[in-house]
Amino acid sequence: MRGLFVTFEGIDRSGKTTQAGLLVEALRDEGVAVREPGGTELGERVRDLVKDAALDAGPRAEALLFAAARAQLVEAVIRPALERGGVVVSDRFLDSSLAYQGDARGLGVDEVERVNRFATGGLLPDLTFLLELDPAEAAQRAGMLDRFEDEGLALQRAVAEAYDRLADASPGRWRRLDAGRPAGDVHADVMVAVEAARAAARA
Ligand code: TMP
């Protein structure tokens, strides 16, 4: 039996981490929480590298670092959990690389997709939530500044547009959610969609 693979995507501070946490809590023993970059020892080390504002990393090197972290996460955590029938909930996945590196940073969505196909063996989420929030509103939400958030609104706007295009291109996999609402309301919509996907998978 194969489980269900659910991912959360959106610009920085759109509430992905909160929503991923609420979903895993609701799934109890069946939920497996991962985050990107991270979720394995290698991934957490890559996370430290890419978040270090003092480190000079060009866009190609950065894309490969994210892909390396993803490869390890898929092999060591995600595939085994899906094979056990679990529901894997990831705070970001492949689409973050397509939106940030492929589109916003200009490497090309197709090229970044190719590199990632090698990294993941072609694994795609069953369901991807796009938390939609105006970049200016997101910027006002409290949070730590890091190398990405430092770059400000222009990057976030480019990323929001990139996500929009990705969601338009694969409507069967993506669910758009208005992330400007209270977290509980967003979570209720998440649960409806996840229950529907699980029912469809069982049918
Ligand atoms: P966060 O997940 O804590 O928001 O931080 C991760 C940062 O890394 C975020 O600004 C988005 C960025 N990122 C990419 O640029 N490409 C990727 O593939 C991933 C997973 C994250």
Side-chain angles (χ1 to χ4, degrees), residues 66-202:
F66 283 120
R70 186 164 297 131
Q72 186 66 17
L73 185 65
V74 167
E75 185 178 312
V77 181
I78 298 179
R79 279 196 197 277
L82 291 175
E83 274 156 25
R84 286 195 306 269
V87 180
V88 177
V89 178
S90 190
D91 182 351
R92 298 191 180 280
F93 190 64
L94 162 74
D95 298 296
S96 284
S97 283
L98 302 182
Y100 283 78
Q101 281 68 50
D103 199 326
R105 298 235 188 255
L107 288 181
V109 173
D110 291 347
E111 283 224 276
V112 174
E113 192 163 31
R114 249 197 314 274
V115 167
N116 274 276
R117 203 173 305 142
F118 172 72
T120 64
L123 180 72
L124 283 175
D126 298 298
L127 189 59
T128 298
F129 292 104
L130 176 54
L131 299 182
E132 295 187 301
L133 186 66
D134 177 51
E137 207 178 308
Q140 284 165 7
R141 292 186 170 182
M144 294 275 291
L145 283 182
D146 61 26
R147 142 201 196 99
F148 294 91
E149 288 157 343
D150 270 346
E151 291 182 45
L153 268 184
L155 176 68
Q156 299 301 320
R157 289 215 166 93
V159 170
E161 285 170 18
Y163 275 129
D164 198 42
R165 282 189 280 273
L166 290 170
D168 272 353
S170 309
R173 172 163 72 89
W174 290 78
R175 300 287 181 280
R176 295 170 186 268
L177 297 174
D178 172 2
R181 297 171 298 156
D185 294 3
V186 179
H187 175 60
D189 288 355
V190 167
M191 290 309 294
V192 170
V194 168
E195 288 309 331
R198 296 180 84 190
R202 279 194 295 264

